[in-house]
Amino acid sequence: MASLDDLITSSGATAYCLHASSENAAMRHMSRFVTHDPVTIIKKINEPPLMIVPQMEAERAARESPAQVITRQQAGYLEIFEHEKDPWKIQAEMISRLSKGPYLLPPDYPVALARALESHDAVIIDSTDRLSAPRAIKTPDEISWITRAQRAAEAAMETAISLIRHAEIRSGALYHDDAPLTSDMVRYEMNKTMLRYDCTADDTIVSCGPETAMPHCIGAGTLLTHEPIVIDVFPRDNKTGYYADMTRTVSRGMPSGRVTELYEAVKDALLLSERMVCAGKTGAECYQAVRDYFAELGFRSDTEGFIHSLGHGVGLEIHEAPSLSGIGGELSSGNVITLEPGLYYRGIGGVRIENLGIVEKSGFSRITDYSMDMIV
């Protein structure tokens, strides 16, 4: 896989520039520095990244980041401020003093700063966001950080399923502590569990019955017996910024025959995809194999059925390269991916099961360590 230096060279640039906070995956990956305010990073060929930070952040940045750290004052901010008051033009002149262009910029680079840089040298936009590609192959440290987040996901999943399993049943509805057991209540308890692992999660899905036919419906209201309940959680480790991802579909009591058929098909499709995945296979091959498998069983996939990709990479973003879709490219050793086949039909419901694992030459090494039983 091409390095960042290769990317800079092939684009005709002399430096790659970022301007973002650590919420930006590329910035976090390159700097390993956590900041809520945007900073500038300049990566020149055959040199370590150079990061410009406020004076108050300099000591912490030098301790936490492998990048070379300089302050805005060292980059010439005060001198430039004597003749230029526009903050974007000041930033552009600091960059120009530290590196001549052409400058290669990511597609989400601030427009105002890109235009200010153009007054100094040519600007090239990395329109295909090729910088994300090097992040797709994870180091052993990154795999350990993702695994840690996955253990938080599993603990949260156990919290949710335990609540469902031990709930009281009243007229087909689930009750906990003499109150209806709702999607919001389950999410709340899952969040408490994840906080104990120093992880947080947004938009956790706890959907039930007809809601499950909509893959990303987060769910609302009382959970019911004999209905599919889809639980999808993707926590982020607060220390490292790395995500995990897992989904289970459960039912308190036997659901309808059609839901059970969906479940068995999805589970078998997941195991099929796990057997297929290895370095050298393409995401498109794996996706198509699952699509074909569902078709052989009579599960159509147009506006209903298998209506999303088979999976995706996971790292500093919950959805990143590689893709396991109809256009998915070659998988490489060190990719961390999810496999999450699903089937969704209005009037029946939906089923999704998702495991996380590492792509290796020998196959798929599952990180997820949790039961796939449906009936609880």
Side-chain angles (χ1 to χ4, degrees):
M1 184 171 292
S3 67
L4 179 52
D5 282 354
D6 293 334
L7 173 60
I8 297 169
T9 301
S10 65
S11 69
T14 59
Y16 199 105
C17 296
L18 291 171
H19 184 78
S21 74
S22 53
E23 289 301 305
N24 179 282
M27 181 273 180
R28 184 75 177 264
H29 188 260
M30 193 179 297
S31 72
R32 300 299 180 195
F33 182 57
V34 179
T35 173
H36 297 292
D37 296 316
V39 298
T40 285
I41 299 178
I42 304 166
K43 173 65 176 78
K44 295 188 280 189
I45 298 170
N46 296 324
E47 294 185 18
L50 175 67
M51 183 163 63
I52 308 171
V53 302
Q55 180 65 53
M56 67 177 184
E57 296 285 26
E59 183 177 355
R60 184 173 70 89
R63 185 173 69 245
E64 295 180 6
S65 175
Q68 180 185 350
V69 175
I70 65 171
T71 65
R72 289 186 295 193
Q73 289 89 328
Q74 290 170 320
Y77 178 89
L78 294 177
E79 182 182 339
I80 298 167
F81 186 76
E82 291 179 3
H83 65 267
E84 179 57 69
K85 300 301 185 284
D86 184 298
W88 296 113
K89 292 180 179 179
I90 294 172
Q91 193 74 33
E93 188 167 335
M94 286 193 294
I95 294 170
S96 177
R97 289 185 177 202
L98 293 165
S99 173
K100 301 304 178 185
Y103 304 104
L104 183 62
L105 312 178
D108 56 356
Y109 200 74
V111 173
L113 183 50
R115 287 180 174 171
L117 267 179
E118 285 179 324
S119 67
H120 297 276
D121 213 320
V123 163
I124 303 165
I125 303 299
D126 177 23
S127 58
T128 59
D129 197 16
R130 290 179 291 167
L131 181 58
S132 64
R135 299 204 321 267
I137 297 179
K138 304 301 189 287
T139 66
D141 280 345
E142 289 176 303
I143 291 171
S144 72
W145 297 334
I146 294 168
T147 300
R148 187 166 67 195
Q150 178 60 28
R151 299 298 168 249
E154 292 160 7
M157 186 67 70
E158 180 59 26
T159 293
I161 292 177
S162 180
L163 281 168
I164 294 166
R165 179 184 295 118
H166 295 106
E168 183 184 351
I169 298 173
R170 298 183 189 176
S171 302
L174 299 182
Y175 275 69
H176 175 74
D177 286 346
D178 210 32
L181 181 62
T182 65
S183 297
D184 285 338
M185 182 186 297
V186 172
R187 269 190 293 273
Y188 174 74
E189 294 299 330
M190 292 175 74
N191 286 335
K192 286 167 58 178
T193 296
M194 286 182 282
L195 283 172
R196 289 198 290 271
Y197 286 77
D198 198 14
C199 290
T200 53
D202 296 323
D203 302 320
T204 298
I205 294 170
V206 185
S207 62
C208 180
E211 295 177 331
T212 62
M214 298 176 281
H216 282 168
C217 176
I218 68 168
T222 303
L223 302 181
L224 306 174
T225 60
H226 307 292
E227 294 281 0
I229 302 172
V230 172
I231 308 170
D232 187 347
V233 59
F234 30 100
R236 186 186 192 193
D237 187 290
N238 291 325
K239 286 189 174 67
T240 67
Y242 280 79
Y243 283 91
D245 198 1
M246 76 177 295
T247 307
R248 291 294 185 264
T249 302
V250 297
S251 176
R252 177 67 184 273
M254 185 66 69
S256 72
R258 290 293 286 164
V259 171
T260 302
E261 289 177 24
L262 297 184
Y263 191 90
E264 293 303 321
V266 168
K267 182 177 178 181
D268 288 345
L270 174 59
L271 297 175
L272 167 66
S273 65
E274 289 190 359
R275 292 192 298 270
M276 281 195 68
V277 163
C278 64
K281 286 275 190 182
T282 68
E285 288 177 274
C286 299
Y287 164 80
Q288 191 60 49
V290 168
R291 190 177 176 89
D292 291 344
Y293 177 73
F294 283 143
E296 290 170 6
L297 296 178
F299 295 110
R300 71 182 192 279
S301 297
D302 37 54
T303 60
E304 297 184 290
F306 183 37
I307 53 176
H308 54 65
S309 70
L310 174 61
H312 53 86
V314 175
L316 284 167
E317 295 177 293
I318 187 57
H319 296 104
E320 61 179 43
S323 169
L324 287 94
S325 66
I327 58 172
E330 185 173 305
L331 303 175
S332 300
S333 294
N335 292 154
V336 175
I337 64 170
T338 69
L339 296 171
E340 51 176 323
L343 289 170
Y344 313 88
Y345 295 99
R346 291 180 291 275
I348 300 173
V351 169
R352 183 168 65 257
I353 315 173
E354 178 180 31
N355 284 337
L356 182 70
I358 309 160
V359 176
E360 298 178 348
K361 289 182 180 179
S362 58
F364 179 77
S365 178
R366 190 191 293 176
I367 294 174
T368 305
D369 183 17
Y370 197 86
S371 167
M372 291 189 286
D373 293 342
M374 176 177 63
I375 308 301
V376 298

